[in-house]
Every structure is written in C-alpha cells, then in structure tokens.
Amino acid sequence: MATPLFESSIKSLQLLGRGKVRDIYAVDADKLLIVTSDRLSAFDVILPDPIPDKGRVLTAMANFWFSRLGHIVPNQLTGIDPESVVAADEREQVRGRALVVKRLKPLPIEAVVRGYVIGSGWKDYQDTGAICGIKLPAGLQQAAKLPAPIFTPASKAEVGDHDENISFAEAQTRCAAALVSELAGTGKNGAELAAQARDAAIALYTEAANYAAGRGIIIADTKFEFGVDAAGTLHLIDEALTPDSSRFWPADSYREGISPPSYDKQYVRDYLETLTWNKKAPGPSLPAEVIARTAAKYREAYERLTGQTLA
C-alpha cells in the first residue's frame, strides 16, 4: 500500500485548482492533468485524514468504466501517460492516480441518476412524495427500488457548500445561461445539452447497473458530470461510477426499510452521524479502524466490479 497522498505538489505545471478530491493542473491550452488524491469528503466537507490508496482505486475504477461505456457518450480521456507531462521527480505523485484529459467546459449541474430511494432522495420523498419534482408511487420504503431509474439533477456547489437537488427545468435554465458563449455558432443550446446529459446519464447508469448486478453489486444511485468541447459535443468528464460518486450495495445483504451496508463512503457518513458535529469545516479526525475499513471497502468494490486486483 502506497504512502497516502493528501495533496499533490506538482511544480512543473500550473495549478488551476483543488476540489474535494482532485487537484487540477494545466498541461497546455487543450489539456489538463487531474490528480486524484486520497482526500475524503463527507457532507461536502474535506476530512483531515487521507484514505490509503483511495485515489488509485478511484482512477482505476473510472478508467474501467470509461472503457466499458465509451460507446454511449464520448469521454475526457486523451490516452496520454500522466508521467510524461510532469518532471521526473514528480512521477511518483501521479503514478496510478492521474489522468491527462481534454479541456472541456463543464455543465453547471451534477447529473444524478437514482435507481433506489435513499439519501437526500429518501428525505425528499418523505417530505413531498417526490424527488426533484418527479412524483413517485406512494408507500415506498427506504432503499426501495424505483420502477425505472430517474434523473434528479443537483446544483454544483463550491468546496464546503452543499449541492442542492433541483428540477430538470432548473437544470436546463442553468445550462442555457452558463453555455451561451461556448455554444455560439454550434447550432446548439444549453437546454438541449441538459437533455442530452439526462439521456446519456440514464443510459450510462442502466448499463452499469446491469453489469454490476452480475457481479453481486447494486448501484443504488450515481453522479455524473458532463462537459462540452468547442463544437458543442457532450463528453463524460470528472469520474464515473466510483465509490465516491455512487452508492454500491452488496446484493446479498440488501433489503428494504434500512440504509443497506455499502462499499462506498456511506460507511464514513454513518460513523460521522454518531458524532456531535455540525457538518461544517473543519471535519473531525477519523479513528484508525474507520480509515482502514474504508480503504478496504474501496478496494473490495473495485475488485468485485472489475475482477482485477489493484497492484
């Protein structure tokens, strides 16, 4: 197990920003280097303790899905070796945990697809009988499977702020406003791109969920991000179907009426819910046992889904 990387320090490239998990650097006018750290966020707060090998697991799993689902929608990958764009003494920081990607304009929404009623969707359903304005059958229990996957977009919050569920109409409005200059001359508009993102997200989730079911894993929900190039072509960006962006449940222990055991960071969220903490920065430190079990859950999710072992 490699030494955890809480924060990268690439000096040979310009640092553009740090997200909750990823550090982004400029390679050139057309490409970015994205380094996936071992940071863990919960309730939109970055916790002080890294999870060993988390970044390597996320990168390997995202690469698996990018390859498997590439026929549905283009993605951000360039195929360039990340070690080739940094200084020799920086290669260890990017090895197995970085991608060189196309520079694309992100859509200003989180493209969330839900196949089950859980998390913030369960709370919305209890309050309104709907999720993001989508009316659902009455009497559903927590973790119930939906008749069909639903697209429930969310706002894209800054680090430290909370994403908020929004309607599809609001997602279209936000995309239309944010993409005016990028889509000028393409014959496309932001509302159209939001609809494309919705359709692509549901197709990605459906194919991935069917595959995972054959590996004994339920993908309860997941979050995608999309961007557009200069021609207005939609691309899958950021990550795809990882334990950070999805809820993975072992099928053999799933049942309705509870928050099922999971391979994702729900385990950490459940631990944090036992603490007296206001869910604002700074986040609390994690016990060694929680760190170790979280690392093991991420690895097991990767190994069960892909049939491969992380070197």
Side-chain angles (χ1 to χ4, degrees), residues 6-302:
F6 187 82
E7 186 175 281
S8 63
S9 56
I10 307 297
K11 305 301 183 185
S12 59
L13 299 176
Q14 178 191 2
L15 175 66
L16 297 180
R18 300 189 195 275
K20 295 168 187 171
V21 174
R22 288 166 181 80
D23 300 337
I24 303 173
Y25 297 86
V27 175
D28 56 29
D30 300 316
K31 295 181 286 294
L32 303 171
L33 176 73
I34 299 181
V35 182
T36 305
S37 74
D38 294 325
R39 296 192 293 271
L40 180 71
S41 71
F43 305 109
D44 297 308
V45 174
I46 297 171
L47 302 179
D49 303 292
I51 305 299
D53 278 342
K54 174 175 173 284
R56 295 173 64 235
V57 170
L58 296 184
T59 301
M61 189 174 290
N63 280 333
F64 169 81
W65 289 117
F66 283 136
S67 174
R68 188 172 188 87
L69 303 174
H71 62 283
I72 294 176
V73 63
N75 62 54
Q76 65 185 350
L77 299 186
T78 64
I80 297 171
D81 182 355
E83 292 188 44
S84 72
V85 302
V86 299
D89 62 353
E90 296 169 338
R91 289 173 185 161
E92 183 61 33
Q93 293 187 60
V94 303
R95 187 166 298 142
R97 64 167 70 248
L99 301 172
V100 178
V101 303
K102 305 168 189 174
R103 279 203 191 219
L104 301 164
K105 172 66 176 181
L107 272 62
I109 59 170
E110 307 278 10
V112 180
V113 182
R114 300 175 188 271
Y116 294 74
V117 185
I118 198 70
S120 64
W122 169 241
K123 293 177 182 177
D124 285 355
Y125 174 74
Q126 288 179 295
D127 292 340
T128 67
I131 303 176
C132 291
I134 300 172
K135 196 70 178 175
L136 298 175
L140 294 178
Q141 296 189 63
Q142 185 181 25
K145 185 176 183 179
L146 293 169
I150 59 174
F151 181 69
T152 58
S155 63
K156 190 178 291 185
E158 297 296 324
V159 174
D161 292 333
H162 297 282
D163 297 340
E164 294 183 0
N165 292 342
I166 58 177
S167 67
F168 176 62
E170 174 65 17
Q172 287 186 298
T173 298
R174 292 186 183 212
C175 288
L179 300 176
V180 172
S181 60
E182 282 73 17
L183 298 177
T186 66
K188 301 179 181 180
N189 61 65
E192 176 187 346
L193 265 295
Q196 288 185 23
R198 175 197 60 197
D199 296 346
I202 290 175
L204 290 164
Y205 171 83
T206 300
E207 184 161 330
N210 289 339
Y211 167 83
R215 311 287 303 191
I217 290 180
I218 294 169
I219 304 179
D221 54 34
T222 195
K223 169 186 73 69
F224 299 107
E225 294 200 35
F226 294 96
V228 294
D229 62 14
T233 302
L234 191 74
H235 288 68
L236 180 62
I237 66 170
D238 194 53
E239 61 178 328
L241 295 149
T242 72
D244 266 13
S245 63
S246 317
R247 283 187 176 85
F248 294 146
W249 296 336
D252 57 6
S253 57
Y254 163 75
R255 65 181 175 88
E256 291 187 13
I258 63 168
S259 179
S262 64
Y263 288 113
D264 51 72
K265 62 183 180 181
Q266 188 61 42
Y267 168 72
V268 176
R269 293 190 195 101
D270 290 343
Y271 164 76
L272 293 172
E273 290 281 18
T274 68
L275 306 181
T276 303
W277 176 48
N278 63 3
K279 297 177 183 176
K280 295 181 180 179
S285 292
L286 299 176
E289 179 189 358
V290 172
I291 293 171
R293 288 192 63 187
T294 302
K297 283 175 176 287
Y298 273 69
R299 275 180 169 267
E300 185 180 352
Y302 171 75

